[in-house]
Amino acid sequence: PGLIMTCETSRIIVKNLPKWTTDESLKKHFSSKGQITDLKLMYTRSGIFRRFAYIGFNTIDEAKAAIKYFNRTFI
């Protein structure tokens, strides 16, 4: 997935996720780079997965470390 971080924030956006992605699979995958405080998979009003998610980390440094490590990688 491609990762993008805007401004100085502890949240990242993960794009181009597989259709089978779940909250638990993302938490397990990204928790290796820091403590995840929140995670939200995005859906349309009709319930179709939009294939991106927001992941919140405990600190800005953890978010930056996750971006540096996971940017341009695949799940």
Side-chain angles (χ1 to χ4, degrees):
L3 304 179
I4 298 174
M5 186 166 98
T6 58
C7 302
E8 289 291 314
T9 180
S10 62
R11 295 189 65 142
I12 63 174
I13 183 170
V14 183
K15 297 181 177 182
N16 301 320
L17 292 168
K19 292 179 182 179
W20 51 262
T21 302
T22 64
D23 287 351
E24 291 303 315
S25 66
L26 278 183
K27 282 181 185 177
K28 183 178 178 184
H29 188 74
F30 283 92
S31 64
S32 66
K33 291 299 168 189
Q35 180 182 356
I36 294 176
T37 57
D38 61 299
L39 186 141
K40 183 168 183 170
L41 298 174
M42 300 306 293
Y43 293 90
T44 63
R45 288 184 183 194
S46 60
I48 299 170
F49 181 44
R50 294 181 62 197
R51 298 183 59 198
F52 75 94
Y54 294 104
I55 302 174
F57 287 90
N58 202 30
T59 66
I60 293 171
D61 292 332
E62 289 176 351
K64 286 180 180 179
I67 289 172
K68 185 175 181 180
Y69 185 79
F70 290 113
N71 196 25
R72 305 221 183 255
T73 62
F74 297 92
I75 294 180

